[in-house]
Amino acid sequence: MATVNLRALTSWVGIARLLAVVLSCLTFSLVASTGHFGGPYGTWCMFTWCFCFAVTLLVLLLELLELYPLLPLSWDDFTSAFSMLAALMVFTSSLVFPITFIRSPCSSSQCARQAVATTSSCFCFLAYALEVSLTRAKPGDISSFLSTVPGLLKVFEAYVACLIFSLLEYEKESGLMWCVAVYSICFIFTLLIIIFTIGRCLTYIPCSLEKVLVGYNFLALLMYLTAMVLWPLYSFRGRSRPDPCGTDCWWNKDLGVTFLTILNLIAYLVDLVYSTRMVFFRAPP
């Protein structure tokens, strides 16, 4: 029989989730009222706000009724991973939506609603960022891996890889094909780590998980290092920026992939440093 746990709504984490629900609902309602959100970018933004609203509301209901222990997953890992993912998705939408749909001068009522929706989306990102901060594991606590810095970085790395995939086009150059292989291999392994952690499957691995993660982060760092060099070398060699170069211009996409590759390289470097400290430099009990 379900019981009601009001702390799910009155704790700081609960308040952050309530704010996220209200702000995400307000955002997609305002955008929907304009009727101007077509195309892949608008669809992505609407999906983000609706998805985050629905999942956060579900999390609140499950914690309010204390039904989450019935689920065959690690609840703390799931909520930590989702709040990090939601923060990243809403942050991206808060940038993409105004760049794509708001035009200057902004004088119509439609533009005003789009501006308010953008502001609401930014506050929604702050609500999710607050939840990530509140649920992040304290130093030395590894009971919930995805709430630690290396765990949150795993979500970040997988999300950045998804952004890279969204910008990729079919490549024939051998150097670019290697880069695509790097992005794919690292994404698959990172996603498996996240899924196995949430599904409580990591205990079945017959070796030290922490040391495996250190080894994987080191290899991923080396692979991304090669991609950081090869991608711009093969993408821009002998090719100048077209004029005009719009949103879907190949030059802008390849530049975006270059930037995201560097961003993920830094993420894997920080991940390696934190993972190494957790394994080899633990504080004495």
Side-chain angles (χ1 to χ4, degrees):
M1 183 175 180
T3 58
V4 176
N5 178 22
L6 293 179
R7 275 194 56 79
L9 302 178
T10 58
S11 65
W12 284 111
V13 174
I15 292 172
R17 288 171 178 163
L18 281 173
L19 287 173
V21 167
V22 172
L23 291 168
S24 57
C25 181
L26 175 63
T27 303
F28 73 69
S29 298
L30 285 169
V31 174
S33 69
T34 66
H36 186 57
F37 53 89
Y41 296 112
T43 303
W44 161 255
C45 293
M46 282 295 285
F47 167 77
T48 294
W49 297 317
C50 294
F51 170 74
C52 293
F53 166 78
V55 177
T56 307
L57 184 61
L58 179 62
V59 168
L60 278 173
L61 289 175
L62 289 174
E63 290 209 343
L64 179 65
L65 301 176
E66 293 192 335
L67 296 175
Y68 64 89
L70 302 176
L71 300 176
L73 50 81
S74 173
W75 183 251
D76 290 339
D77 283 311
F78 170 75
T79 53
S80 296
F82 168 72
S83 59
M84 183 65 177
L85 176 63
L88 294 170
M89 292 176 68
V90 173
F91 176 76
T92 306
S93 298
S94 300
L95 294 178
V96 170
F97 182 77
I99 292 173
T100 306
F101 292 99
I102 297 181
R103 295 288 181 266
S104 181
C106 185
S107 56
S108 64
S109 61
Q110 173 180 288
C111 185
R113 279 177 286 174
Q114 290 173 332
V116 174
T118 301
T119 305
S120 176
S121 183
C122 291
F123 281 115
C124 185
F125 158 71
L126 292 177
Y128 281 116
L130 176 61
E131 182 183 349
V132 172
S133 176
L134 292 171
T135 58
R136 187 170 70 87
K138 303 297 185 293
D141 181 14
I142 57 172
S143 57
S144 174
F145 172 70
L146 291 181
S147 64
T148 63
V149 172
L152 295 173
L153 283 171
K154 285 286 176 285
V155 179
F156 178 85
E157 291 154 4
Y159 181 75
V160 172
C162 289
L163 294 182
I164 291 175
F165 293 144
S166 70
L167 297 175
L168 291 177
E169 296 179 349
Y170 179 71
E171 305 294 349
K172 296 181 180 179
E173 291 274 5
S174 58
L176 298 180
M177 291 175 66
W178 163 253
C179 294
V180 174
V182 168
Y183 304 140
S184 303
I185 292 170
C186 293
F187 169 74
I188 291 171
F189 274 94
T190 302
L191 185 62
L192 286 176
I193 291 171
I194 295 171
I195 293 173
F196 285 174
T197 302
I198 294 175
R200 298 174 178 170
C201 299
L202 293 178
T203 54
Y204 300 107
I205 297 178
C207 54
S208 174
L209 172 64
E210 292 85 357
K211 293 181 180 179
V212 169
L213 291 178
V214 170
Y216 163 67
N217 289 332
F218 180 71
L219 289 176
L221 179 66
L222 293 180
M223 293 173 70
Y224 260 90
L225 191 59
T226 63
M228 184 189 70
V229 175
L230 293 176
W231 181 266
L233 178 65
Y234 280 88
S235 294
F236 301 111
R237 183 177 57 182
R239 305 169 75 189
S240 58
R241 187 176 188 270
D243 187 24
C245 187
T247 306
D248 293 323
C249 172
W250 67 265
W251 197 91
N252 287 341
K253 289 185 176 181
D254 286 350
L255 184 63
V257 172
T258 302
F259 170 75
L260 293 172
T261 301
I262 297 172
L263 191 62
N264 239 6
L265 175 69
I266 296 172
Y268 277 109
L269 176 61
V270 176
D271 195 353
L272 177 62
V273 171
Y274 268 92
S275 299
T276 304
R277 287 180 57 189
M278 288 174 62
V279 174
F280 299 106
F281 301 98
R282 287 180 178 174

